[in-house]
Amino acid sequence: MTNEDALKAEDVAEILHIGRNAVYELAKSGELGSYRIGRRLRFTYADVQTYIKRTKNGGGSKSDAPTS
């Protein structure tokens, strides 16, 4: 994996159109895959896409679904 594959919470928040704290909550609950590099939480683009597909298919709660 390259550094280009590592997304910050801010990047994910922008993709999902949600707040940064919401990204951390999704990661904490396990709904959004993440990993740590030191103390920093990072995300893969593939995990973000998986989350989007799952919420589009009704797998997530309405409050977790990205808004347009």
Side-chain angles (χ1 to χ4, degrees):
M1 179 179 292
T2 67
N3 286 338
E4 295 168 358
D5 295 327
L7 298 173
K8 298 177 185 176
E10 294 83 7
D11 300 326
V12 176
E14 188 174 315
I15 292 168
L16 297 178
H17 303 286
I18 59 176
R20 188 181 66 188
N21 288 337
V23 173
Y24 289 124
E25 288 299 317
L26 289 172
K28 184 178 178 181
S29 71
E31 293 181 61
L32 176 61
S34 63
Y35 62 97
R36 289 198 177 274
I37 297 179
R39 294 185 56 162
R40 309 258 184 217
L41 200 60
R42 294 292 185 255
F43 306 86
T44 65
Y45 188 72
D47 284 336
V48 174
Q49 292 302 311
T50 299
Y51 172 76
I52 291 170
K53 287 177 187 175
R54 190 171 54 247
T55 58
K56 280 186 179 180
N57 293 329
S61 68
K62 291 182 182 178
S63 63
D64 292 337
T67 57
S68 307

